Amino acid sequence: MTPSHTPTMKDVAARAGVSLGTVSKVINHITVGEKNRVKVEKAIRELGYEVNTYARGLKTQETKLITLIVPDTMNPFFAAFTQYVERTLYEHGYKLILCCANGIPEKEIGYLNLASQSKTDGIIALTYTDVSSAIPSRIPLVSFDRYFEDHDVPMIASDNFQGGYAGTKKLWALGCHHPVFVRFRSKFPSEADKRLEGYLSACQELGIKPDYLDQIDAIDEKKILIDFIEAHMDFRGNLTFDGVFANTDRQGYLVMKILKERGIRIPENVQILGFDGIRKYGIDEGALFISSMCQPVEELARLCVETLLKKRQGTVVPTLSLLPVSYCYGGTTLREP
Amino acid sequence: MTPSHTPTMKDVAARAGVSLGTVSKVINHITVGEKNRVKVEKAIRELGYEVNTYARGLKTQETKLITLIVPDTMNPFFAAFTQYVERTLYEHGYKLILCCANGIPEKEIGYLNLASQSKTDGIIALTYTDVSSAIPSRIPLVSFDRYFEDHDVPMIASDNFQGGYAGTKKLWALGCHHPVFVRFRSKFPSEADKRLEGYLSACQELGIKPDYLDQIDAIDEKKILIDFIEAHMDFRGNLTFDGVFANTDRQGYLVMKILKERGIRIPENVQILGFDGIRKYGIDEGALFISSMCQPVEELARLCVETLLKKRQGTVVPTLSLLPVSYCYGGTTLREP
DNA sequence: CTGTTAGCGCTTTCAC
DNA sequence: GTGAAAGCGCTAACAG
């Protein structure tokens, strides 16, 4: 008689006329007599049996669950990253537990603990709050874009320096001889901080006098930008810069709106270049909001997952991996000369 | 001596000098002698103990994990929905397992099974593929926007009919006397199909001759839209409609782009109204892409979670819950008269 | 109110 | 190559 509950290994064993251990071996691909294997496989099929992950996890301390911590999913960049992480995990037989930290440190810490209690096999963290003290040692953890001092945490990121450098050169090549850099950032250090450094380095090489806005944890970004812009007008109201390299697409978009409101034509009067490569309505069909140094989101996500899984199985993994970013036209820069 | 492994209930019991059962009771908030409770709580704190969800789950068949199935997270509407579902679940002590189905039925079915194997406590499904045959009976499942025949699945959705109706009336009030409706949809029936019905109903009431584009599983939306638009020009190249009510913001945005490319001014010549209420760069600061009938995403997410949890605990829940949508100005309609 | 104990479904020795 | 049996950490009777 078929059991009414969801079938367990016991049911399979009974139906196949073998012992529990044999069924377990078949499932875990451990050598077993041909005949028995076939019998067990048949029973599994007939019963629609699937292993109970939690019973298995209890035993093996594996759950096939990976936690992803992101600030939120409404930011299109994080949304894309989340999607690709999920996809890659799925391909490797893992499920994704999603934590939108929303800047709540306790929430991040709670999820970090989840892993340390081995309820989750690892963590991919994209966090901008300060939780480094709560990082469980010896737990598979990879960080995106954020460098954790004092902890042996592999970091994956875009090559932000190169992006800042190449972007500045690109603006120059497109005719911007007075590009300014603009950024708002949190007080927690991240790899993305290197974007400005890249800009500075390129400026030096090009013989441009660098000029930038750098605000930490600003509240009213719009007002600050307006002040910055007005401080860059000469006596007849002309702008003293002809290009804006923004730290993120969002910030660049904001700059664009403000400039347009003031009758400045983009890209004729001022070219704007962002960073991230965010697309309207997702990747598939959407155009960029603005021209941008695009991060290879999919590859970044894959690399995070693969690094994490390798680390879990004990392979030595790079402490730092940087992926290149590339320029993409999005309407706010001049077409190629 | 402190154990080197992550502490178990046994360690807590030993340290507190009580039995396992007592510790379990303290944890599960079952009455226990004041003195013992304090001792146990102290031991828990000192050891940094946390229950092992999987051991517990094995026993109780509860995992405090809920699966959310969405088509993807790059669509801003789904992204927002995901975020709010996660937040609400968190408030209730549940974790989110995220499945981006990407239109792959096998993937959805796999996750559906996860739940039926009681590795997950329930499912919130926002799916546009046909998986109704795979729906495990008697498993807590609530559906967003999609009506499952033959299954006792509570459905949550926006009041799409009301939205279609109110949106049409709004366009009329703003001076559109010849609004057309435009939609692309999948072949799977969903609540969102009622948007067109609302439009038709309002047209009848207003004495407007309805006119609409309705495409199923179209490949080249842009081309179809262009054809539609060109078919609506009189002999001197003037449009025969003065308003477009699009089935989604994305579709409305596409219409806007095409019209603008043809030199048509929005909203002066043609007003455009979308549906969803998607915002650039997420909810916080972003403006709408276009004027829209906005779905109350947060409330929808909350309702899904609460309905699911109620159903789990055996409470009778509504088979259908509709939440009202509301008009939001987004630049593609005329300002209030 | 407290301690003891029998499993939950699975993996993994360990004899056979 | 196979089966029996001992747990993984926890909960839920059940005695006391």
Side-chain angles (χ1 to χ4, degrees), chain B residues 79 117 119 146 180 292-293:
Chain B
Q117 301 288 129
K119 286 151 205 164
R146 171 84 189 282
V180 294
S292 183
M293 298 305 293

Side-chain angles (χ1 to χ4, degrees), chain A residues 151-162:
Chain A
H151 286 275
D152 158 43
V153 177
M155 184 176 76
I156 316 283
S158 287
D159 191 339
N160 289 286
F161 181 90
Q162 169 255 327

Side-chain angles (χ1 to χ4, degrees), chain B residues 159-181 194-203 205-206 208 242-247 249 271-276 291-294 324-329 332-334 336:
Chain B
D159 191 340
N160 289 286
F161 181 89
Q162 170 254 328
Y165 178 88
T168 309
K169 290 263 179 144
K170 185 73 195 179
L171 280 173
W172 174 272
L174 292 172
C176 282
H177 290 172
H178 302 286
V180 294
F181 194 95
K194 306 239 167 82
R195 294 171 186 178
L196 175 57
E197 294 175 29
Y199 162 80
L200 293 176
S201 171
C203 281
E205 222 171 83
L206 295 166
I208 303 173
D242 56 4
V244 178
F245 193 174
N247 203 43
D249 284 351
Q271 300 191 55
I272 297 179
L273 181 60
F275 210 114
D276 280 348
S291 295
S292 183
M293 298 305 293
C294 296
V325 301
S326 55
Y327 169 79
C328 299
Y329 172 74
T332 58
T333 44
L334 293 173
E336 309 300 321

Side-chain angles (χ1 to χ4, degrees), chain B residues 226-246:
Chain B
I226 291 173
D227 289 348
F228 179 82
I229 289 164
E230 288 178 350
H232 283 76
M233 288 188 173
D234 64 20
F235 64 98
R236 23 165 41 147
N238 290 324
L239 287 172
T240 60
F241 57 80
D242 56 4
V244 178
F245 193 174

Side-chain angles (χ1 to χ4, degrees), chain A residues 29-331:
Chain A
H29 304 106
I30 293 168
T31 321
V32 136
E34 171 71 8
K35 258 185 156 166
N36 275 340
R37 213 201 59 229
V38 174
K39 278 199 292 187
V40 170
E41 282 168 351
K42 183 158 173 282
I44 288 177
R45 227 175 306 117
E46 289 169 355
L47 257 29
Y49 168 81
E50 287 186 36
V51 265
N52 178 320
T53 326
Y54 300 107
R56 169 184 279 173
L58 222 208
K59 193 72 193 172
T60 58
Q61 305 294 8
E62 276 203 11
T63 59
K64 293 291 182 181
L65 254 23
I66 300 285
T67 303
L68 170 65
I69 301 178
V70 291
D72 63 86
T73 57
M74 309 232 262
N75 176 309
F77 182 78
F78 301 151
F81 186 74
T82 301
Q83 164 125 334
Y84 289 123
V85 166
E86 191 270 350
R87 181 180 301 176
T88 311
L89 284 176
Y90 179 74
E91 289 167 4
H92 288 271
Y94 286 79
K95 259 71 179 178
L96 206 219
I97 293 192
L98 179 68
C99 166
C100 301
N102 288 306
I104 305 168
E106 305 77 51
K107 195 169 172 182
E108 292 191 13
I109 292 169
Y111 278 87
L112 251 17
N113 286 337
L114 247 198
S116 69
Q117 301 290 129
S118 67
K119 287 152 207 163
T120 269
D121 292 347
I123 307 170
I124 296 172
L126 200 170
T127 166
Y128 297 121
T129 62
D130 189 19
V131 291
S132 46
S133 60
I135 292 178
S137 54
R138 298 185 353 84
I139 282 294
L141 167 60
V142 324
S143 160
F144 180 82
D145 219 45
R146 172 84 189 282
Y147 174 64
F148 289 97
E149 260 189 87
D150 302 333
H151 286 275
D152 158 43
V153 177
M155 184 176 76
I156 316 283
S158 287
D159 191 339
N160 289 286
F161 181 90
Q162 169 255 327
Y165 179 88
T168 309
K169 290 262 179 145
K170 186 72 197 183
L171 280 173
W172 174 272
L174 293 172
C176 282
H177 291 171
H178 302 284
V180 296
F181 194 95
V182 160
R183 78 167 168 192
F184 295 95
R185 57 179 172 130
S186 89
K187 62 173 172 288
F188 302 108
S190 105
E191 266 297 298
D193 295 346
K194 306 238 167 83
R195 294 171 187 179
L196 175 57
E197 294 175 29
Y199 162 81
L200 294 175
S201 171
C203 280
Q204 180 162 32
E205 221 170 85
L206 295 166
I208 302 174
K209 186 163 168 292
D211 186 358
Y212 57 90
L213 171 69
D214 185 18
Q215 286 281 323
I216 295 178
D217 289 330
I219 305 291
D220 191 352
E221 300 183 349
K222 185 160 183 182
K223 185 179 177 323
I224 293 169
L225 278 176
I226 291 173
D227 289 349
F228 180 83
I229 289 165
E230 287 176 351
H232 283 75
M233 287 189 174
D234 64 19
F235 65 97
R236 23 166 43 149
N238 289 327
L239 286 171
T240 60
F241 58 79
D242 57 3
V244 178
F245 193 174
N247 203 43
T248 68
D249 285 349
R250 194 185 56 70
Q251 291 166 26
Y253 186 77
L254 193 54
V255 169
M256 179 182 77
K257 266 182 24 188
I258 294 171
L259 290 177
K260 278 192 170 170
E261 280 168 10
R262 278 159 184 65
I264 291 154
R265 296 173 62 207
I266 315 291
E268 294 81 359
N269 303 147
V270 173
Q271 300 190 55
I272 296 179
L273 181 60
F275 210 114
D276 280 348
I278 288 176
R279 284 158 200 281
K280 295 170 188 161
Y281 295 112
I283 288 291
D284 287 343
E285 62 204 288
L288 291 166
F289 280 95
I290 62 176
S291 294
S292 183
M293 298 306 291
C294 297
Q295 298 198 56
V297 203
E298 181 166 2
E299 290 77 6
L300 287 165
R302 297 200 94 83
L303 195 54
C304 283
V305 170
E306 275 149 19
T307 303
L308 183 65
L309 296 184
K310 271 189 196 146
K311 198 182 172 199
R312 239 175 84 65
Q313 63 178 54
T315 311
V316 176
V317 297
T319 329
L320 175 64
S321 311
L322 296 183
L323 257 33
V325 301
S326 54
Y327 169 78
C328 299
Y329 172 74

